[in-house]
Amino acid sequence: QQQVKQSPQSLIVQKGGISIINCAYENTAFDYFPWYQQFPGKGPALLIAIRPDVSEKKEGRFTISFNKSAKQFSLHIMDSQPGDSATYFCAASWESGGYQKVTFGIGTKLQVIP
Amino acid sequence: DAGITQSPRHKVTETGTPVTLRCHQTENHRYMYWYRQDPGHGLRLIHYSYGVKDTDKGEVSDGYSVSRSKTEDFLLTLESATSSQTSVYFCAINSPGTPSTDTQYFGPGTRLTVL
């Protein structure tokens, strides 16, 4: 059972458009919400992350929007480029037994077409 | 490059054979993890280690064992491989250069096929 529900599983966006990936959770113990980007044949790599005390974080064309009351967060990719084509995972982490545990969404395969 | 390698990168084996995957880090991090990645399931934690000889189970640990005799090496063993263990396996450590274990840094993965 996924502790973080991610949608959609696949997404096709025109170059220059906005890509939006959504995640939802129930566990209020989660205290850190990272997004990972994975290119084919590579391991996931941290893209951007947010803590629940802020509602938005922006890094270049990538923005996380966080709604604590709704237990939802989303990744927005502005001016999407073909080079953004990858699989994106949302995740949530919490402290348990003295270290941070992490749970991942199922991933969204993004394709940006020229 | 954060200094984490996995070997082998690809392996094809037959059902019932033992398989060992190796993760090696040069960052001296205390925490190491093994995940498997499957379509429709994302990344699922198999086992993790919080120090030499200190390991614990993750959410999909059945059929897997691990060992960590040195800080830099974390081994994942499939005692008797089954077709359901065909997957891509990733090792991870907590982010290099930070005291926090919030963020995972992943190796390049091992693609395992069990026939």
Side-chain angles (χ1 to χ4, degrees):
Chain A
Q1 184 179 357
Q2 297 291 141
Q3 293 195 60
V4 179
K5 294 184 175 9
Q6 182 173 350
S7 63
Q9 289 194 43
S10 63
L11 181 62
I12 299 175
V13 173
Q14 291 276 159
K15 178 182 175 182
I18 302 173
S19 303
I20 301 174
I21 304 170
N22 300 300
C23 287
Y25 65 97
E26 288 296 327
N27 190 343
T28 55
F30 293 157
D31 59 8
Y32 185 69
F33 299 88
W35 285 87
Y36 288 82
Q37 179 187 55
Q38 182 183 30
F39 293 106
K42 305 291 186 182
L46 178 68
L47 179 64
I48 186 173
I50 196 168
R51 295 200 183 274
D53 53 346
V54 298
S55 60
E56 185 176 281
K57 184 172 182 180
K58 184 176 181 179
E59 291 185 0
R61 296 183 294 106
F62 300 89
T63 299
I64 300 177
S65 296
F66 189 86
N67 186 328
K68 188 174 182 179
S69 61
K71 299 192 189 72
Q72 295 174 348
F73 58 110
S74 59
L75 176 69
H76 292 65
I77 306 174
M78 311 300 288
D79 186 26
S80 298
Q81 299 296 312
D84 297 330
S85 297
T87 299
Y88 293 82
F89 293 95
C90 62
S93 71
W94 73 105
E95 184 178 340
S96 176
Y99 89 108
Q100 287 290 115
K101 292 189 172 180
V102 184
T103 186
F104 291 85
I106 63 172
T108 296
K109 187 172 184 179
L110 170 66
Q111 184 181 358
V112 181
I113 55 177
Chain B
D1 191 352
I4 178 169
T5 58
Q6 293 184 231
S7 59
R9 295 293 315 279
H10 302 272
K11 187 170 182 66
V12 179
T13 191
E14 294 188 351
T15 298
T17 60
V19 177
T20 295
L21 309 182
R22 180 178 183 245
C23 177
H24 179 78
Q25 61 145 331
T26 58
E27 305 296 326
N28 200 36
H29 275 278
R30 181 180 172 192
Y31 300 108
M32 299 183 75
Y33 313 82
W34 276 108
Y35 291 89
R36 60 178 291 174
Q37 183 177 12
D38 305 285
H41 292 279
L43 291 150
R44 293 180 292 174
L45 182 65
I46 305 171
H47 280 280
Y48 63 95
S49 170
Y50 46 95
V52 174
K53 299 191 188 307
D54 291 324
T55 65
D56 206 347
K57 296 178 180 180
E59 61 180 299
V60 290
S61 59
D62 287 349
Y64 301 95
S65 63
V66 290
S67 65
R68 192 166 177 203
S69 59
K70 298 185 291 185
T71 298
E72 58 266 35
D73 290 324
F74 192 31
L75 304 180
L76 177 71
T77 297
L78 291 67
E79 300 291 346
S80 177
T82 67
S83 59
S84 64
Q85 294 176 311
T86 292
S87 185
V88 180
Y89 292 85
F90 287 99
C91 177
I93 60 176
N94 58 298
S95 280
T98 72
S100 169
T101 61
D102 284 352
T103 302
Q104 313 260 301
Y105 188 93
F106 289 84
T110 294
R111 183 173 294 276
L112 175 68
T113 302
V114 183
L115 301 176

